[in-house]
Amino acid sequence: MQRQYLGCVGKVDNGIVTVHLGVTRGTFQALLDADLYLPKSWSEDRERCRTAGIPDDVKHRPKWRLAVDQWLRAAGNGMSFDWLVFDEGYGAAVPFLRFLNLVDQRFVAEVPVNFTVRGTDHGPARRADGRLSAADARGGARHRVAHRTVRASFWRAATARVWVEGREHTLIAAVNEATAEVKYFLTNATMAPLPRVLAVAFRRWAVEHAFRLGKQEAGLMDYEGRNYTGMLRHLTLALIVLGFVATHTERLRGEKPRGDRGAGVPGVEPAMRRGVPTASRHPRAAAHRRSHPLPSAAERTGRQVPQEAA
């Protein structure tokens, strides 16, 4: 059975913040769910909300709460996930981590360097980079991380046993050998081998690749409406398009569609019906290669993300 991974990442498109759930399984990847995020400043200005068509019962909620609701909807529809993986914006939300532990959902969370951990259940609080330093990571084992769109990367990683909210977790510090980028991860799968945890952690790039495809091909970045209901409909249609394309891409993967007579089979090349125009009459346009989406740019190390209180 192939593993599933669920990534939840907040994205900003032309000033509109959305919270998405994306899934990858083998070569299949798609976006499952999405919500519009209502900023606190908007929620406190109900007249402004009414002008935009936002119902009075729609209030500001933290993005991690929207992610919880999406997870519950997916579970209610019979979906289960081997792993949940998300960026440090969600990793800093301790209530979100507590929820995932309560429902026994394995996760790998990227966490900020100032994330608070403890060496024992009741030990003193320390920062993540105080428990594991970049030097510790550089002295750790070497791991190869495969990517689809670029060559594999190599990371050095070290681990430490820590406690967060009274539960044991594994803290990982990883450094990229080529760029010296440092990342911190936290997982509740304390018995999982480190190569497996790192593979899951970097699988989030596949979900973020689905976001980029959605922006480029399905109109996710074309938020030009001024009405809340219209934006929800636009978001829903974009998800339907992405799901349709992902499903049929997976179905046709490795197959040639009917009608491609002789495609890929050696033989006599059929004659052309007309002659080829000369270069002087029809100058060839400059060659253009469409850029392929790459994993998101390396985040600056040492960025501080406030950790939410319980």
Side-chain angles (χ1 to χ4, degrees):
M1 175 181 176
Q2 292 175 308
R3 294 288 185 180
Q4 286 187 336
Y5 309 88
L6 178 68
C8 51
V9 184
K11 289 294 177 180
V12 180
D13 301 293
N14 293 351
I16 304 300
V17 183
T18 56
V19 178
H20 297 268
L21 293 186
V23 65
T24 72
R25 179 178 180 178
T27 57
F28 178 82
Q29 61 185 50
L31 300 183
L32 296 180
D33 201 350
D35 285 288
L36 290 176
Y37 170 77
L38 185 65
K40 190 174 182 180
S41 59
W42 274 72
S43 183
E44 294 173 348
D45 189 347
R46 299 317 302 181
E47 187 60 34
R48 185 184 189 186
C49 289
R50 294 187 187 98
T51 302
I54 302 174
D56 289 339
D57 59 345
V58 176
K59 309 290 185 182
H60 164 77
R61 287 186 298 163
K63 286 185 283 187
W64 68 265
R65 276 303 310 269
L66 298 177
V68 167
D69 292 343
Q70 291 174 357
W71 187 94
L72 291 173
R73 285 198 294 266
N77 287 316
M79 299 194 68
S80 61
F81 307 101
D82 290 330
W83 296 89
L84 198 71
V85 56
F86 39 92
D87 64 20
E88 61 185 22
Y90 294 87
V94 173
F96 184 45
L97 305 184
R98 185 190 303 118
F99 166 79
L100 297 178
N101 283 325
L102 288 174
V103 297
D104 292 326
Q105 172 65 68
R106 289 191 301 179
F107 67 81
V108 180
E110 186 174 350
V111 295
V113 296
N114 62 329
F115 187 83
T116 300
V117 298
R118 299 178 185 274
T120 62
D121 189 5
H122 301 289
R126 303 178 63 183
R127 288 165 52 112
D129 58 355
R131 181 64 181 86
L132 278 178
S133 65
D136 294 327
R138 286 191 289 269
R142 190 173 192 246
H143 301 273
R144 180 181 183 272
V145 178
H147 308 293
R148 290 187 187 178
T149 56
V150 295
R151 67 180 62 183
S153 58
F154 292 89
W155 295 73
R156 296 275 181 175
T159 64
R161 186 172 62 172
V162 297
W163 270 257
V164 178
E165 287 294 301
R167 176 158 175 164
E168 183 181 354
H169 295 75
T170 298
L171 179 69
I172 303 112
V175 58
N176 189 305
E177 287 188 342
T179 65
E181 177 188 11
V182 179
K183 286 182 175 290
Y184 285 86
F185 301 101
L186 185 78
T187 180
N188 57 356
T190 56
M191 301 302 294
L194 180 56
R196 180 62 175 166
V197 174
L198 287 177
V200 172
F202 289 105
R203 188 66 170 170
R204 197 184 83 225
W205 284 348
V207 178
E208 293 180 342
H209 175 63
F211 291 126
R212 288 188 285 275
L213 289 179
K215 288 182 178 181
Q216 296 168 0
E217 309 295 344
L220 269 180
M221 68 182 301
D222 299 325
Y223 286 102
E224 297 180 357
R226 295 181 178 272
N227 182 274
Y228 180 78
T229 302
M231 288 183 175
L232 283 178
R233 290 172 177 171
H234 174 83
L235 188 58
T236 302
L237 289 174
L239 292 181
I240 292 173
V241 169
L242 287 171
F244 176 86
V245 172
T247 300
H248 285 276
T249 298
E250 188 70 10
R251 181 176 64 85
L252 298 172
R253 190 179 299 278
E255 300 179 4
K256 295 183 180 299
R258 296 180 181 178
D260 289 347
R261 180 176 59 84
V265 179
V268 179
E269 185 174 315
M272 300 184 67
R273 299 183 65 180
R274 300 186 187 86
V276 179
T278 62
S280 59
R281 293 175 56 190
H282 297 278
R284 179 175 297 177
H288 173 72
R289 184 181 66 178
R290 188 172 186 174
S291 60
H292 198 286
L294 297 176
S296 56
E299 298 173 348
R300 292 185 302 172
T301 60
R303 184 173 59 176
Q304 306 282 328
V305 177
Q307 183 173 341
E308 294 192 37

